[in-house]
Amino acid sequence: MFHDFKTWLCLSNDPGIIIAQYDAMRRQMPMLFALLIINAAAVTYIHYLWAPQWLTVGITACLISIVAVRLLAWTVFAEATAKITPERARKLLQRSIVSATAFSLAFLTWAMLLDQYGGQLEHAHIAVFTAITVIGCTFCLMHLPQAALLVNVTIMVPLLIYYLCRGNPIFIAIGFNIALVSAVMTRVLLNTYAAFTTQILSQASLALQQVATERLGEDNARLALIDMLTGLPNRRYFFSRLDEMLQECAVTGERFAVGIFDLDRFKPVNDMYGHVMGDRLLADVGRRLAGQVGEGILIARLGGDEFGALISTYGDRAFATGQHICALLSEPFDIDDNRLSLGCSGGIAIYPDAGTDANELIDRADYALYNVKSAHRGGCALFSADHETRIRSERAMEAALQTADLDAELHVEFQPIMCLSTLTILGVEALGRWTSPLIGEVPPDRFIAVAERVGMMHPITIKLFRKALRSFVAMPRNIGLSFNLSAQDIVSSELIALLMAAIEEEGVDPSRVTFELTETALMCDFDAAVSGIRRLRSIGIAIALDDFGTGYSSLSSLNRLPLDEVKIDRSFVDGLGEKAGRNIVGAILGLCRTLEIDCIIEGIETELQHSQANELGFDLAQGYLFATPMTMPSLLLWLEERGWQEGFSFPRPRHMLTNRGRSIARIRPV
Ligand code: C2E
Ligand code: CA
Ligand code: CA
């Protein structure tokens, strides 16, 4: 217990409490000393005539001088609370405890010596002086209870003994009264002090909690701006920084570039190796890009495999930065034992040439990117005046298509598919045509892209297909009809149902119909496309893989898809004059034969190409050399000129019959 008391006397270990005590004492100690000086002076004045001078003048002067020095120390020379260290404050407080006890003893002794002189009133004055001073000091020492307690004990115990020894019952009663008041006061003071320390501690813990909450808030704010997978800034940060740059540059007149980058072949890698591998690949891409971030360039992940860059240069320098980013991501990535080769395409728009707000700049950069992507060439493109003209014409096209009378404006032309060995017609490919009264004739690849963008693909497909079927009934019965479907068509089960219903309603044998699909269309949603293909094949419709060789995964598609026909893209025809080109086309033909798939070569324009295709062993071909796309009346005339009349059928080559028979009978599971 004594040990606890000693520990208590040595003051709290909490630096916050020590500083708070010091702060309170700085405000209260001067009052305590002033009280002592005034009270001591009053007592001296009353006893001046009674007591000897050495006591009234000498000792009093000494005591008052020492107290005055302490008063100065706590006022003029006191250290500011904000600057003092807890160790220094503790030292000063400990010193105050010792000096308060010493002063108590000194003043009590002085008062008792004075009490030896004078009459009853003077004795009473001493008793009142002692009581009032003890009460006053106790209050002033409220925040240093150690000192207050020692002062009370140091004064009350000797005072009581003194009054008891003197034997005067009135002063004994006064002594007990004062002792009682001082004991109660001490108790109250200890309670108040306990409340004081609790308050200080809870304030400190509140402050700590506040700091922790602020830190958590800052962390959350930081995390909200970072993409967790790649560690790069995220879309939100990118757009807020873009807004800031727009505001700054609107004032300074500086130019800068916005880049949008998209990984090539990421989707096939993700599909083939799984999402975990896809995520690791993206993390590696993020690490590579993070190495490029620095003064004047910010790269963020905008979502999926799309990244954005803010580049503080423009023109050729911004273009060079874009090319560098694309080249960097075209280097292979090694993950575990796999070497993965992606590519990267990018589009760059310059502020303020391409646009003055965030949406415009992003749209323009995206447009430049889209152009790079659709040309399958990788690398980066700057948004140009030519792009701007095309955007305008596409907008006009969108408006014209949305208000078009589809029945009146759309029609179908047919291009014969030929058997090379007999030079007879085996089928026709239906090609959509749109003649707008507002903007004139629009090539199909352009209006199909616009229709996909504005969500009009399905009504256009079904309208063209119905028109094609109605014209097609005039054709000889052993001739097939090929019709092109877009990416949005093959993944829609509703549209597939409509196509099947149209075939039935127009009374066409489904085994005469082939739907042509490009690889790009199939890759958009591979699973949905495969289930669409299965449904069509289940009623005998054939499926052709169009523009073969221009997609990303041509060879793997042959194996993975239930196909009946492959159409080699016309870009390969140009290569037939060279050995390497011939080898490639020959290899594709060989592969198709092995897989028992018909193979058509497209875009034969010259006799030379015809004979080269013949030499390689092609049986089926299409091209301007044989016939350009024609309306049905022109096609019927064309056929008539070649000896076809109503009721006459061209002999169908044997391999085509065999294959088609196989295609219908053999519905390959996938
Ligand atoms: P595609 O399916 O590859 O169609 C063949 C395209 O090549 C046709 O162009 C045709 O006119 C052209 N062509 C045929 N022989 C030759 C040749 O010897 N030399 C050259 N240079 N070209 C030749 P077209 O009619 O302009 O169609 C372009 C593309 O638009 C088509 O390419 C097809 O992907 C798409 N398309 C056409 N009609 C439709 C349609 O009704 N629906 C859908 N979804 N797409 C269509
Ligand atoms: Ca086609
Ligand atoms: Ca084609």
Side-chain angles (χ1 to χ4, degrees):
M1 193 178 147
F2 177 72
H3 179 258
D4 287 351
F5 180 68
K6 214 175 132 193
T7 316
W8 180 75
L9 269 187
C10 290
L11 300 175
S12 161
N13 283 326
D14 189 286
I17 293 182
I18 293 289
I19 295 291
Q21 278 181 297
Y22 174 79
D23 186 50
M25 295 312 290
R26 256 197 71 202
R27 281 180 275 115
Q28 282 153 212
M29 283 306 253
M31 290 192 281
L32 185 148
F33 291 126
L35 182 84
L36 264 182
I37 292 171
I38 293 166
N39 284 3
V43 170
T44 309
Y45 175 73
I46 297 299
H47 285 78
Y48 185 70
L49 294 176
W50 302 89
Q53 283 217 337
W54 63 268
L55 187 58
T56 50
V57 180
I59 303 276
T60 308
C62 271
L63 285 175
I64 287 182
S65 309
I66 297 171
V67 173
V69 171
R70 297 294 299 144
L71 176 64
L72 280 177
W74 276 100
T75 49
V76 183
F77 304 108
E79 292 167 55
T81 312
K83 288 189 186 154
I84 198 160
T85 61
E87 292 74 38
R88 174 89 184 121
R90 174 191 294 275
K91 244 187 204 115
L92 291 175
L93 291 175
Q94 282 170 342
R95 201 181 288 167
S96 298
I97 296 172
V98 175
S99 62
T101 316
F103 276 131
S104 303
L105 267 177
F107 272 92
L108 182 71
T109 314
W110 171 75
M112 284 175 182
L113 286 173
L114 282 178
D115 201 39
Q116 306 308 311
Y117 307 96
Q120 290 303 324
L121 277 174
E122 282 73 25
H123 295 315
H125 185 196
I126 293 289
V128 170
F129 160 75
T130 316
I132 293 292
T133 311
V134 164
I135 292 170
C137 290
T138 308
F139 269 107
C140 291
L141 293 169
M142 185 185 281
H143 296 99
L144 193 58
Q146 295 84 347
L149 185 75
L150 285 175
V151 166
N152 275 277
V153 172
T154 319
I155 291 180
M156 288 325 300
V157 174
L159 188 72
L160 263 182
I161 296 171
Y162 171 73
Y163 281 140
L164 283 170
C165 292
R166 285 201 50 187
N168 184 323
I170 294 175
F171 283 101
I172 291 173
I174 289 176
F176 273 106
N177 258 340
I178 302 172
L180 191 66
V181 169
S182 121
V184 169
M185 253 177 11
T186 309
R187 181 66 257 171
V188 171
L189 180 135
L190 288 175
N191 290 347
T192 313
Y193 178 72
F196 167 75
T197 51
T198 312
Q199 188 195 345
I200 298 293
L201 288 175
S202 69
Q203 269 173 4
S205 96
L206 217 69
L208 278 179
Q209 271 175 27
Q210 200 172 333
V211 169
T213 314
E214 275 168 16
R215 197 165 298 154
L216 203 72
E218 281 164 17
D219 282 354
N220 280 343
R222 199 170 45 79
L223 286 179
L225 299 175
I226 283 190
D227 172 62
M228 298 311 276
L229 188 61
T230 58
L232 291 172
N234 63 12
R235 186 182 184 85
R236 201 163 144 198
Y237 182 76
F238 178 83
F239 279 94
S240 76
R241 191 65 201 109
L242 175 55
D243 281 340
E244 280 170 17
M245 280 177 85
L246 284 168
Q247 280 169 18
E248 284 162 21
C249 293
V251 177
T252 59
E254 281 176 50
R255 303 166 82 189
F256 68 93
V258 176
I260 306 282
F261 297 89
D262 194 279
L263 300 179
D264 301 331
R265 297 186 289 280
F266 177 73
K267 194 173 177 327
V269 169
N270 213 25
D271 289 345
M272 209 174 296
Y273 292 93
H275 290 275
V276 175
M277 186 64 115
D279 283 356
R280 288 177 64 190
L281 187 56
L282 283 174
D284 275 8
V285 168
R287 268 190 284 279
R288 242 182 233 188
L289 289 176
Q292 301 306 302
V293 178
E295 192 67 12
I297 171 158
L298 175 132
I299 303 181
R301 181 176 174 221
L302 302 183
D305 59 345
E306 194 180 66
F307 298 84
L310 297 176
I311 307 163
S312 59
T313 50
Y314 55 91
D316 288 348
R317 290 177 68 188
F319 178 68
T321 307
Q323 288 285 48
H324 176 66
I325 290 174
C326 290
L328 195 75
L329 298 185
S330 301
E331 297 285 317
F333 290 86
D334 290 315
I335 300 182
D336 297 338
D337 292 334
N338 303 300
R339 170 157 283 215
L340 304 171
S341 275
L342 297 175
C344 177
S345 307
I348 290 184
I350 308 291
Y351 168 89
D353 316 20
T356 48
D357 68 38
N359 280 344
E360 240 175 1
L361 285 167
I362 295 289
D363 278 357
R364 302 297 199 257
D366 226 17
Y367 189 84
L369 165 69
Y370 167 78
N371 273 276
V372 175
K373 279 261 177 201
S374 47
H376 303 302
R377 59 185 158 83
C380 177
L382 262 184
F383 183 82
S384 63
D386 181 40
H387 287 144
E388 185 68 53
T389 320
R390 271 164 55 193
I391 284 188
R392 294 230 167 90
S393 90
E394 265 167 39
R395 289 216 179 122
M397 209 184 288
E398 279 173 18
L401 193 63
Q402 277 164 328
T403 53
D405 174 355
L406 295 185
D407 201 36
E409 295 174 29
L410 291 176
H411 76 277
V412 183
E413 290 192 352
F414 299 88
Q415 185 182 30
I417 299 170
M418 306 297 292
C419 169
L420 290 185
S421 51
T422 58
L423 279 184
T424 49
I425 173 171
L426 294 173
V428 286
E429 178 177 2
L431 295 159
R433 299 287 177 258
W434 175 38
T435 314
S436 160
L438 300 172
I439 53 172
E441 274 189 24
V442 183
D445 32 12
R446 291 195 65 195
F447 79 75
I448 297 293
V450 172
E452 283 191 328
R453 217 168 36 240
V454 298
M456 285 183 66
M457 198 58 246
H458 294 177
I460 288 178
T461 298
I462 203 72
K463 177 68 66 191
L464 285 170
F465 189 52
R466 285 259 181 201
K467 286 192 172 216
L469 287 173
R470 267 174 218 153
S471 304
F472 180 67
V473 287
M475 296 292 293
R477 264 175 291 113
N478 60 344
I479 283 184
L481 170 70
S482 293
F483 188 86
N484 296 285
L485 291 183
S486 80
Q488 289 180 2
D489 294 332
I490 190 62
V491 296
S492 159
S493 55
E494 290 86 16
L495 187 95
I496 285 171
L498 288 176
L499 293 172
M500 287 161 67
I503 294 173
E504 202 187 334
E505 282 162 28
E506 301 299 335
V508 174
D509 178 357
S511 67
R512 292 175 70 192
V513 178
T514 300
F515 283 119
E516 299 190 1
L517 295 158
T518 62
E519 279 170 279
T520 327
L522 292 170
M523 290 309 151
C524 290
D525 185 347
F526 188 78
D527 294 339
V530 167
S531 89
I533 290 177
R534 270 194 199 153
R535 266 181 81 194
L536 293 169
R537 288 183 94 232
S538 72
I539 60 160
I541 294 169
I543 302 294
L545 188 60
D546 204 356
D547 301 346
F548 185 79
T550 56
Y552 287 127
S553 49
S554 302
L555 289 179
S556 72
S557 314
L558 286 186
N559 221 8
R560 291 161 76 205
L561 288 165
L563 294 173
D564 304 285
E565 207 173 285
V566 160
K567 295 183 85 173
I568 299 181
D569 189 69
R570 67 167 180 270
S571 56
F572 287 88
V573 171
D574 294 336
L576 288 181
E578 290 158 26
K579 192 164 179 276
R582 271 199 304 279
N583 284 347
I584 293 175
V585 174
I588 298 173
L589 178 66
L591 195 65
C592 288
R593 285 207 175 128
T594 312
L595 294 168
E596 298 183 310
I597 297 172
D598 288 338
C599 186
I600 301 178
I601 184 153
E602 289 188 290
I604 300 288
E605 292 180 354
T606 63
E607 285 296 348
L608 181 66
Q609 289 165 347
H610 179 192
S611 61
Q612 283 163 339
N614 251 336
E615 274 166 33
L616 280 170
F618 275 98
D619 278 325
L620 306 165
Q622 196 177 339
Y624 291 166
L625 177 70
F626 312 111
T628 54
M630 293 171 264
T631 58
M632 187 48 81
S634 310
L635 179 64
L636 291 173
L637 214 65
W638 183 89
L639 286 173
E640 227 173 86
E641 283 166 8
R642 278 152 189 80
W644 175 77
Q645 284 149 17
E646 197 85 49
F648 169 83
S649 286
F650 284 101
R652 200 168 170 84
R654 196 158 347 144
H655 78 271
M656 192 79 170
L657 287 172
T658 340
N659 276 359
R660 182 51 57 89
R662 165 187 54 75
S663 302
I664 300 162
R666 173 206 53 152
I667 294 159
R668 278 195 284 170
V670 271

